[in-house]
Amino acid sequence: MGRVYAVVSSKGGVGKTTTAANLAAALAAAGPRVAIVDGDLGMANLAGALGVEVGEVTIHDVLAGDDGAPDDAADGPDIDAAIHEGPHGLAVVPGSPALDAFSRADPERLESVLDDLAAAYDYVILDTGAGLSTDTVAPLTFVDEILLVSTPTRDALGDTDKTRQVAEQLGVTVAGAALLRADPAAAESDAVVESLDVGVLGTVPDAAEIRRASEAGEPLTTFAPGGPAAAAFASLAAALTGEHVAAPTADDG
């Protein structure tokens, strides 16, 4: 069985989806079989970060138990119907941007979806929704470990530690935290040490190529493989999983 990780942040805008997409791409580029799921059921946008078309069947359809067609089987589409190939052979399961899709999706069904994917892939990355609602908290109990994502500001760190506390109350293992828009020294800053009661697995700089890659709909492994941000995500992937994930070079892009 593969390992399932949730990428989590209770505060929006800190780079959670960016982290999930680049973490998965870095792992896939290193060789393991990797799947990534858009678990942000209310604000699905993972597909755009990886240059993947949403398609006719999404994770929302799988979680709803049907794809809207009246003659379909009662249990709806299989997860395989929602998988699209992304960079480096990455298996991408997009979410639907339609508003009505959210109301039809049952987050409890994610457990069986993640189990099926873990049986077929070495690593499964779940990009979760921001906040601490039932829709975002319930899926945390379906994964092996969670990765917290924050920026090094006190308000973001405070919200992130609330997520850690919730995870620990649920008995979910917290692997550590990733700090975005931060230099390595931030991991030992007073704000981080005082606010975040968990180890920092990696820091990612506030690099212009991250924004440009996002706008281009590419992970850094293909958009700017020789840059410091791509190297930072590769280092984070290695720290999280124990895999050998070399920093990509310009020749890899």
Side-chain angles (χ1 to χ4, degrees), residues 137-158:
V137 171
L140 301 187
T141 62
F142 307 150
V143 306
D144 295 305
E145 297 182 77
I146 70 171
L147 174 69
L148 301 171
V149 178
S150 183
T151 57
T153 62
R154 286 191 181 275
D155 61 339
L157 291 166

Side-chain angles (χ1 to χ4, degrees), residues 28-81:
R33 297 167 299 167
V34 183
I36 183 168
V37 180
D38 195 338
D40 190 346
L41 301 180
M43 299 289 288
N45 61 1
L46 176 66
L50 291 165
V52 171
E53 294 292 332
V54 172
E56 295 184 1
V57 180
T58 69
I59 186 62
H60 287 78
D61 299 311
V62 177
L63 298 182
D66 64 76
D67 65 2
D71 57 346
D72 281 342
D75 58 354
D78 186 88
I79 185 60
D80 290 341

Side-chain angles (χ1 to χ4, degrees), residues 51-162:
V52 171
E53 294 292 332
V54 172
E56 295 184 1
V57 180
T58 69
I59 186 62
H60 287 78
D61 299 311
V62 177
L63 298 182
D66 64 76
D67 65 2
D71 57 346
D72 281 342
D75 58 354
D78 186 88
I79 185 60
D80 290 341
I83 294 175
H84 299 261
E85 184 173 351
H88 317 295
L90 177 64
V92 182
V93 183
S96 171
L99 289 176
D100 67 335
F102 174 71
S103 62
R104 293 190 297 110
D106 179 3
E108 293 294 332
R109 290 177 177 261
L110 264 175
E111 184 171 18
S112 61
V113 167
L114 295 174
D115 285 346
D116 289 346
L117 291 172
Y121 295 90
D122 299 312
Y123 297 102
V124 181
I125 307 298
L126 177 67
D127 179 29
T128 65
L132 294 175
S133 67
T134 301
D135 293 335
T136 59
V137 171
L140 301 187
T141 62
F142 307 150
V143 306
D144 295 305
E145 297 182 77
I146 70 171
L147 174 69
L148 301 171
V149 178
S150 183
T151 57
T153 62
R154 286 191 181 275
D155 61 339
L157 291 166
D159 286 346
T160 300
D161 198 58
K162 291 176 186 175

